[in-house]
Amino acid sequence: MSQTQVPAWVSVALLPAINVFAAFLVSALLFMYIDISPIDAIKVMWTGAFGYAEGIGYTLYYTTGFIFTGLAVAIAFHAGLFNIGGEGQAYIGGLGVGLVCLTLGEFAPWYVVFPVAIIVGGLFGAAWAFIPAYLQAKRGSHIVITTIMFNFIAASLMAYLLVDILKPETTMATESRVFAASSWLPKMHEMLSWVGVSMSASPLNLSFIFALLCCLLLWLFIWHTRWGYEIRSVGSNPSAATYAGISYVKIVIIAMLISGMLAGFFGLNVLQGELHQIKLNFVEGFGFTGIAVALMGRNHPLGVLLASLLFGFLYQGGAELSFEYGVDRNIVVVLQGLVILFSGALEHMFKPSLERTYLKLFAKKPSPSEGVA
Amino acid sequence: MFETIILMLDATIRVATPLIFASLAGMFCERSGIVNIALEGKLLAAAFVGAATAHVTGSAWLGLLAGIGISVLLALLHGFATITHRGDHVVSGMAINILAAGLTVTLGRHWFHQGGQTPALSGDARFAPIQLPGAEAMADVPVIGLLYSELISGHSALVYLLIITVPLAWYVMFKTRFGLRLRAVGESPAAVDTAGISVVRMRYSAVIICGLLVGIGGVYLSVAQTAQFIPNMSAGKGYMALAALIFGKWRPFTALAACLLFGFLDAMAIRLQGVSIGDFAIPVQAIEAIPYVLTVFLLAGFIGKAIAPKAIGVPYTKERE
């Protein structure tokens, strides 16, 4: 085997880029098949997502949701855990946010409700992740299966609550009463108008700032704290970490609690920020998309942020696309599946040939002084 | 009362059939060491392609063939990612589920312009219920008549196919050399490799068998049960089949029992919609959640113990290549 290594940017940046490109290439074929020119489609999506202020607002609104669920998957990944339960944790976390808005929202303004909603939403999400975490750490039941099961249990629980408990007598739809208007999170265009900047109305709200803060805090946590170090150790080699005196049980539970908490924040953006009531299925698969976001973002908060932006673009652009061409919005879901396939499951497919090509093109002949190995 | 029970058991069989096919499919895959959460996507894809083909060709059997075809293709994709490229089994499975969900709706709308549905199937394009001989005549005989005419007779051909499939799956898995090797690959691929058997070939055979079986289940959903494809009609059945497989401890007859139990709970939940005892309305959702709760309990070792194949989810790398 060759001792020469490819530089980090090849595997950290170039390889994912090639994987995503492959996913786009396959989707381009699909677009051509359904009689849409891929070039036109990209143009429509781009102008729809970034071409005007309202579009940008929507893009960033979706981005906010993806940041929360993407970070949730990423932190669990660092501990070597596959948390497929983001969907359920976001759902239950949203319940917490919603309950705070429903009760406290009557008496307190948003700047009081918001911090409480953050705490309660986070706690609810974390609680929903705690049981699978405990069962994985203590009783050896596989986290993937238990979190899948917990997604369904969450769906049943929420359906019950919305149909039988939270639904006001007067409405037919399965949704809670609308939160008191004073508890609604301020929209970004309102906040900008306070300082004299005018921007068209969009659902983008204050929780976007909170999501950015979460990225920063998570980065600090993973790379600059003792727990973060222990989480990464367990993730890269559980038995070595255990020999080094790190408690596997503790780390699994901590990582999953933070994961569930981050997923639980999802409700801030969607419920307190935009819908202003708890609705059936408000998570709409964002929990699953979080997996794609984390995979593409290489589990790094900055990567997650960029990947969330990409998916926000795909969502908003996809909406525009379905408006323009009458195709189904689900075409974005196809793209999402392809991204997961190529940058997740087939991530090693291009690696050997890429490395060979790189070495052939750029590598120096190893000089004798370097040949220590 | 008796009639209610018979009708519920009848519904149980109808609900459980796709679960049973998918569970058996999952068994072959997981016994060979490949995690399969892609059952959901394969069910959905097979349901869609099956219904679309049956509609276009007017033949339910061609629909079945096409449905199996697409499901095997997806299984091969899963194999390509997990066996050949040693990708993560769960990620690959998720990708297939999401792809299937998106593609079926997109292509469905493009082909049929009905919001993702396929046109309703009728005549030869669907698997009609088969009336067993003498069902009409026996219908009026007390007890046995109802049992025979409602519960045993009147299902589609695919349901009767199960009568052979389940024992056959058991026989192949536990009584043949192929089955022995398959189980060995899931427990200790290195040992199998040492014995001169190709791990790669065994695992590919497993995913193909998986695709074949889950394909039948998917086609059953659209071409037999509903006579139409509806977006997202698998609605978590693939995951439930996985739960049943685990609940049945990766064995065919116990998985069958688990599927029937889950099917029965489902039938009960539908039946109990809006029923209340005194003032207390029975929450249907609680009954619907029972299979998932039970599976969590089982996995936690509170009721028996489910021990997965040892090498499950671990890509096999030969020491020297």
Side-chain angles (χ1 to χ4, degrees), chain B residues 161-182:
Chain B
L161 187 63
L162 278 174
I163 300 173
I164 335 165
T165 311
V166 180
L168 187 69
W170 174 81
Y171 183 80
V172 169
M173 188 58 90
F174 293 100
K175 292 290 160 196
T176 63
R177 198 166 65 169
F178 173 78
L180 179 70
R181 288 175 172 180
L182 194 73

Side-chain angles (χ1 to χ4, degrees), chain A residues 67-355:
Chain A
I67 291 176
F68 290 133
T69 56
L71 288 179
V73 177
I75 174 79
F77 256 138
H78 276 287
L81 301 165
F82 208 127
N83 178 15
I84 309 200
E87 194 78 8
Q89 290 143 19
Y91 212 4
I92 298 294
L95 173 69
V97 172
L99 289 178
V100 169
C101 293
L102 283 173
T103 51
L104 195 63
E106 299 288 324
F107 318 105
W110 66 266
Y111 47 84
V112 176
V113 178
F114 190 40
V116 181
I118 288 176
I119 294 167
V120 175
L123 278 178
F124 271 52
W128 205 247
F130 172 75
I131 309 167
Y134 177 82
L135 294 176
Q136 155 95 24
K138 280 281 202 184
R139 313 219 35 132
S141 42
H142 203 285
I143 199 124
V144 170
I145 307 291
T146 26
T147 46
I148 290 178
M149 299 302 142
F150 265 71
N151 285 340
F152 286 103
I153 299 172
S156 297
L157 178 66
M158 291 296 284
Y160 168 68
L161 289 176
L162 284 168
V163 172
D164 290 336
I165 314 284
L166 293 168
K167 185 169 76 83
E169 296 279 327
T170 49
T171 164
M172 288 301 287
T174 41
E175 54 198 27
S176 77
R177 150 174 83 75
V178 176
F179 309 151
S182 61
S183 71
W184 299 359
L185 282 183
K187 297 271 164 68
M188 210 55 97
H189 61 92
E190 294 165 1
M191 288 160 59
L192 286 174
S193 73
W194 296 338
V195 290
V197 181
S198 75
M199 183 188 161
S200 348
S202 75
L204 182 64
N205 57 70
L206 181 65
S207 62
F208 176 61
I209 310 279
F210 180 63
L212 295 179
L213 189 69
C214 284
C215 286
L216 179 69
L217 290 177
L218 195 70
W219 175 75
L220 284 172
F221 176 79
I222 296 176
W223 278 283
H224 293 276
T225 66
R226 186 196 170 104
W227 277 0
Y229 171 75
E230 293 186 351
I231 285 176
R232 284 181 294 130
S233 315
V234 167
S236 57
N237 190 340
S239 45
T242 312
Y243 280 120
I246 296 170
S247 158
Y248 177 75
V249 173
K250 186 185 89 179
I251 289 306
V252 165
I253 288 179
I254 289 176
M256 279 300 285
L257 284 180
I258 296 173
S259 176
M261 178 185 79
L262 287 163
F265 291 154
F266 180 80
L268 299 169
N269 181 41
V270 173
L271 299 184
Q272 199 182 0
E274 168 63 11
L275 295 178
H276 306 138
Q277 60 187 150
I278 312 175
K279 287 191 175 183
L280 202 63
N281 296 327
F282 66 84
V283 186
E284 289 183 319
F286 273 58
F288 286 122
T289 313
I291 299 168
V293 171
L295 281 171
M296 272 189 63
R298 291 283 184 235
N299 304 320
H300 191 288
L302 182 65
V304 167
L305 176 63
L306 292 174
S308 299
L309 196 61
L310 174 72
F311 274 94
F313 156 69
L314 289 179
Y315 254 63
Q316 168 57 13
E320 208 76 6
L321 201 62
S322 69
F323 182 69
E324 191 88 352
Y325 288 99
V327 293
D328 199 272
R329 270 194 81 163
N330 274 291
I331 197 152
V332 181
V333 178
V334 179
L335 208 53
Q336 187 184 316
L338 288 170
V339 166
I340 298 185
L341 183 70
F342 280 102
S343 57
L346 293 172
E347 65 174 331
H348 302 308
M349 186 164 64
F350 299 115
K351 201 174 170 189
S353 46
L354 178 69
E355 287 181 348

Side-chain angles (χ1 to χ4, degrees), chain B residues 260-294:
Chain B
L260 289 173
L261 171 70
F262 291 1
F264 180 74
L265 289 169
D266 212 23
M268 195 156 88
I270 297 166
R271 191 107 203 150
L272 288 179
Q273 205 107 47
V275 176
S276 53
I277 305 171
D279 274 346
F280 180 70
I282 300 167
V284 192
Q285 294 85 2
I287 299 166
E288 282 170 355
I290 291 175
Y292 307 115
V293 177
L294 278 179

